[in-house]
Amino acid sequence: MINPTPGPTLLGFDVVLVGSILAGVAAMATVFAIYAAVTVKDPMAKRVKALNERREELKAGIIKSASRKRQSVVRRTEATDRVKGTLQSLNVLQASQIAQAQQKLAQAGHRNREMAVFVILARLVLPVTLGVTAGTAIYLLDMFPDWGSFKKFAAFAGAVIAGYKGPDVFLQNKISKRTAEIRKGLPDALDLLVICAEAGLTVDAAFNRVAKELGRAYPELGEEFALTAIELSFLNERKQAFDNLAWRVDLDAVRGVVTTMIQTERYGTPLASALRVLSAEFRNERMMRAEEKAARLPAIMTVPLILFILPVLFIVILGPAACSISDTFINR
């Protein structure tokens, strides 16, 4: 029986086999990307539908009698009530902490204000849990005998601090990502608001139209505008709807838009001209941020260029010459 001829090897690996595996991985990634692009869903359709139903209920003055429906509107459950009662009995639940946690949850995109008690509970439970786990592993079980006393104490303190700051860091990370997405789409949204205002639409209709047009490109901004349009349609004071928008979004540009909208509502100034000026300012600000990132790029690329790109370039350039020289010496 004749053995098949082995394929070319590089650093001990079969080049054909490695190439086949990489080609298969690339094909699977391509299929997954196509599937994800085809099956994408509108992220704000369900939320807008629920808000529209709530608006109709508030307009009609309907009071739901069923307990399950009441819980879906108020969004209170037995678990949240139990956790709230436990925290109140421990005297660790303050109104300022609840208000701050509710605002952070709203800025992160979570509309259920009752989840604020779980954030406070996580701040209370996680440090104890991680501290007990780290203390047991470090001191009782002595899993790291080579560590000194200072290193052990630093690891224990780091676990406790991570448990206390973990929920806040997680929420702040989500807030930063959501704020960045809203900042990207705000100039386009203001341009559409200008067009809608010049076309004669009312403010709530303009916000609703912008939310529908930009909902797929900027779902976070579309959700906020849709919620503002719904609040404008049934709140007694329109100023409250704009204040709620500024409260939900941690962005100075949105606060500037809210101030402009409130002034136009109060003094009757032209809305289109004010929004056009704000849109121009936000576009200039976005261009300045892009130029700043481009200016930082050479300094950022210096370390990867030295560590990763230049060695590979030297290997590609000098590799064939080194191979030919070694073959010459071996043949001699």
Side-chain angles (χ1 to χ4, degrees):
M1 182 176 181
I2 301 175
N3 294 325
T5 304
T9 59
L10 179 63
L11 300 177
F13 297 98
D14 191 351
V15 176
V16 177
L17 178 61
V18 173
S20 301
I21 295 174
L22 293 178
V25 171
M28 293 178 62
T30 303
V31 172
F32 178 76
I34 295 174
Y35 175 77
V38 172
T39 59
V40 64
K41 297 181 180 179
D42 191 357
M44 57 175 291
K46 184 177 179 181
R47 177 64 183 166
V48 172
K49 182 180 179 181
L51 291 173
N52 286 327
E53 292 177 356
R54 179 59 178 159
R55 179 180 63 178
E56 297 299 330
E57 292 171 2
L58 291 173
K59 282 184 177 181
I62 298 175
I63 300 176
K64 296 183 177 180
S65 58
S67 60
R68 183 177 179 182
K69 294 182 178 180
R70 180 63 183 170
Q71 287 180 359
S72 65
V73 174
V74 183
R75 291 196 171 189
R76 295 183 60 182
T77 59
E78 295 181 359
T80 56
D81 291 339
R82 195 181 305 114
V83 170
K84 191 173 182 180
T86 304
L87 294 177
Q88 286 178 349
S89 63
L90 295 175
N91 294 325
V92 295
L93 193 62
Q94 300 178 1
S96 60
Q97 290 181 347
I98 294 177
Q100 185 180 6
Q102 287 176 351
Q103 185 176 11
K104 286 187 176 180
L105 286 171
Q107 291 173 353
H110 300 283
R111 306 303 180 195
N112 191 357
R113 294 190 176 187
E114 294 297 325
M115 294 296 294
V117 295
F118 289 100
V119 175
I120 299 174
L121 179 65
R123 293 176 185 171
L124 182 65
V125 173
L126 284 180
V128 178
T129 304
L130 294 181
V132 170
T133 304
T136 303
I138 294 173
Y139 292 105
L140 295 181
L141 300 179
D142 197 13
M143 298 179 63
F144 307 98
D146 298 334
W147 288 6
S149 59
F150 178 76
K151 195 172 183 179
K152 290 181 178 180
F153 177 76
F156 174 75
V160 175
I161 295 173
Y164 181 74
K165 292 293 184 181
D168 292 334
V169 172
F170 175 74
L171 281 179
Q172 191 61 41
N173 187 24
K174 294 194 68 175
I175 290 171
S176 300
K177 292 180 179 179
R178 195 167 188 273
T179 303
E181 295 297 327
I182 292 175
R183 185 187 291 113
K184 289 180 182 178
L186 190 59
D188 298 334
L190 290 182
D191 288 339
L192 286 177
L193 277 178
V194 170
I195 295 173
C196 294
E198 291 178 347
L201 294 179
T202 59
V203 177
D204 52 348
F207 270 85
N208 193 17
R209 183 67 179 180
V210 173
K212 290 181 179 179
E213 294 293 335
L214 296 181
R216 298 186 68 85
Y218 306 103
E220 294 83 5
L221 183 61
E223 181 182 351
E224 294 296 337
F225 272 42
L227 183 57
T228 303
I230 294 172
E231 289 180 346
L232 284 171
S233 62
F234 68 81
L235 286 180
N236 294 328
E237 295 184 2
R238 299 169 67 86
K239 179 179 178 298
Q240 184 64 36
F242 295 124
D243 291 336
N244 291 339
L245 176 61
W247 183 79
R248 293 192 305 267
V249 181
D250 185 19
L251 193 60
D252 293 334
V254 173
R255 285 190 282 269
V257 174
V258 167
T259 303
T260 302
M261 300 297 293
I262 293 174
Q263 289 178 354
T264 55
E265 289 280 341
R266 179 178 299 178
Y267 302 110
T269 56
L271 178 62
S273 59
L275 291 179
R276 189 178 291 108
V277 173
L278 285 177
S279 177
E281 291 180 359
F282 295 156
R283 286 189 181 279
N284 292 333
E285 183 181 356
R286 186 168 65 177
M287 183 61 67
M288 291 176 63
R289 286 198 303 269
E291 291 176 354
E292 182 182 356
K293 289 183 179 180
R296 293 203 311 263
L297 189 60
I300 296 174
M301 287 296 296
T302 300
V303 176
L305 180 66
I306 295 174
L307 294 180
F308 303 106
I309 299 177
L310 288 181
V312 175
L313 185 62
F314 290 150
I315 292 173
V316 171
I317 295 175
L318 301 178
C323 292
S324 62
I325 293 173
S326 63
D327 292 339
T328 302
F329 281 107
I330 290 174
N331 293 330
R332 286 185 178 180

